[in-house]
Amino acid sequence: MSKGPVSQFIEKNYLHFNAAALVDAAKGYELHLAEGGKMLVSLAGAMSTAELGISLAEMIRQDKIAFISCTGANLEEDVMNLVAHSHYKRIPNYRDLTPQDEWDLLENHYNRVTDTCIPEEEAFRRLQSHLEKAWKDAEAKGERYFPHEYLYKIILSGALEPHYEIDPKNSWMIAAAEKNLPIVCPGWEDSTSGNIFTSYVIKGELKASTVKSGIEYMVYLTEWYRGNSGGKGVGFFQIGGGIAGDFPICVVPMMYQDLEWHDVPFWAYFCQISDSTTSYGSYSGAVPNEKITWGKLDTTSPKYIIESDATIVAPLVFAYVLNQ
């Protein structure tokens, strides 16, 4: 398939430094899929609030992504943007805010993520009632699900459709739910939804076991990786750092070293988009070769690092892979 105008622009202009690394990584992603490989994408930070769904959803629909690892924030904030977009407040001059300005935002029920404020009532509370029902219905039936599975149930039920405020094709969670895309959401407990669920547990209204745990997520990922790492193997496209990246990439050394399954293949491709600098003990800023020492990557695994803002870079890589 011929390349579209965005990809043509990238090929013509992105010739050196981080720009060239972007092209190399995108071509490596494309080659990995063309040769029959699959790709896991990890989402750190607040990529959903940055509206990565505009490009990520199409990647999911076109089977360019086989698995997602994301923070609880990214899991819920795509759905929040879906149902409360018109109530979000953008603050271009966020660097100039005083402590009192920040307090005023809190008093007006706005939670700031860099230049964007999430409206508490329209976003968090609108979603809360649906989550509460899903959790309590499951518990009443003696059922347990992962955090992403509860959101899938809510999305697929159509209960949120009257509240849609963006084109649903720009929601990556809708695309993922329709594909029943495998997801792990490590550290879900520190998200707003996780905090809300915890409050119900403390009040005695729900059992902690009604939402499956992070250990169960690791077992789930282990089973998926074992079933999908044959042939060309599974690649790892990491957006940012943190737990969303470190949790899933560790599944390979866990199987090899702790389970002693020595037939487990390494990750077959690795790319990280990050503006973190290499420093003492940093995961986000660690160069890919460090992962060789942890049994995550092989010496021959294609490795790329794009040191830039993921909100700029990720949509461009996705556009290239989608031939846009």
Side-chain angles (χ1 to χ4, degrees):
M1 183 182 293
S2 61
K3 291 292 184 184
V6 176
S7 298
Q8 291 177 31
F9 176 88
I10 289 171
E11 288 185 331
K12 180 179 179 180
N13 292 276
Y14 286 24
L15 304 176
H16 301 283
F17 316 136
N18 272 303
L22 184 158
V23 176
D24 292 342
K27 288 182 176 180
Y29 193 137
E30 195 172 51
L31 179 63
H32 180 73
L33 297 184
E35 293 182 344
K38 296 183 177 180
M39 192 68 74
L40 180 148
V41 172
S42 72
L43 306 174
M47 297 305 297
S48 289
T49 292
E51 300 190 71
L52 187 66
I54 294 170
S55 56
L56 184 62
E58 188 62 20
M59 289 283 285
I60 294 169
R61 281 191 291 270
Q62 293 195 27
D63 297 317
K64 307 296 186 183
I65 296 171
F67 201 109
I68 283 180
S69 171
C70 69
T71 57
N74 277 304
L75 194 69
E76 66 194 9
E77 287 176 15
D78 180 80
V79 182
M80 291 176 185
N81 180 59
L82 174 67
V83 301
H85 182 79
S86 68
H87 299 278
Y88 278 59
K89 182 182 180 71
R90 184 163 180 264
I91 304 178
N93 64 325
Y94 67 92
R95 290 182 178 86
D96 301 328
L97 296 178
T98 66
Q100 185 59 49
D101 292 333
E102 305 277 23
W103 181 261
D104 292 342
L105 288 171
L106 172 65
E107 291 284 277
N108 285 285
H109 306 287
Y110 281 108
N111 299 134
R112 184 169 70 82
V113 181
T114 313
D115 71 342
T116 304
C117 293
I118 301 174
E120 180 183 329
E121 293 301 319
E122 292 80 7
F124 298 127
R125 302 310 167 199
R126 181 171 289 173
L127 187 56
Q128 179 177 350
S129 62
H130 296 285
L131 283 168
E132 179 183 0
K133 183 179 186 304
W135 292 329
K136 291 185 174 178
D137 285 351
E139 187 164 305
K141 297 175 185 175
E143 297 171 350
R144 305 173 62 242
Y145 298 99
F146 287 120
H148 76 276
E149 291 179 313
Y150 283 108
L151 283 172
Y152 279 4
K153 287 178 179 293
I154 293 167
I155 290 168
L156 296 175
S157 74
L160 297 177
E161 288 182 16
H163 304 295
Y164 286 0
E165 294 194 352
I166 64 169
D167 189 331
K169 73 178 178 63
N170 291 332
S171 165
W172 73 263
M173 277 295 290
I174 289 179
E178 290 175 345
K179 287 272 188 182
N180 195 26
L181 190 78
I183 290 178
V184 291
C185 183
W188 173 76
E189 297 80 3
D190 83 345
S191 67
T192 299
S193 300
N195 290 174
I196 292 169
F197 179 77
T198 302
S199 74
Y200 288 123
V201 173
I202 292 170
K203 290 185 290 186
E205 296 182 24
L206 286 168
K207 298 175 184 175
S209 58
T210 297
V211 174
K212 290 186 176 182
S213 70
I215 297 298
E216 289 170 287
Y217 259 141
M218 185 62 87
V219 173
Y220 171 67
L221 174 57
T222 300
E223 293 169 349
W224 183 89
Y225 194 92
R226 287 286 278 180
N228 289 273
S229 56
K232 182 62 177 177
V234 182
F236 199 104
F237 190 83
Q238 181 175 328
I239 299 175
I243 193 171
D246 202 21
F247 180 96
I249 206 168
C250 285
V251 75
V252 169
M254 184 274 291
M255 286 187 281
Y256 190 92
Q257 297 170 14
D258 302 318
L259 286 165
E260 299 183 348
W261 294 347
H262 294 166
D263 61 337
V264 176
F266 292 103
W267 294 97
Y269 162 104
F270 177 80
C271 175
Q272 179 178 5
I273 306 169
S274 176
D275 56 5
S276 295
T277 56
T278 301
S279 62
Y280 302 108
S282 166
Y283 173 74
S284 301
V287 297
N289 278 353
E290 185 176 295
K291 293 171 174 56
I292 295 172
T293 73
W294 289 89
K296 300 168 184 176
L297 300 177
D298 199 349
T299 55
T300 57
S301 303
K303 294 177 277 291
Y304 310 92
I305 184 163
I306 310 168
E307 296 177 296
S308 188
D309 184 337
T311 63
I312 299 169
V313 170
L316 291 174
V317 173
F318 293 164
Y320 192 91
V321 173
L322 292 167
N323 294 310
Q324 293 175 342

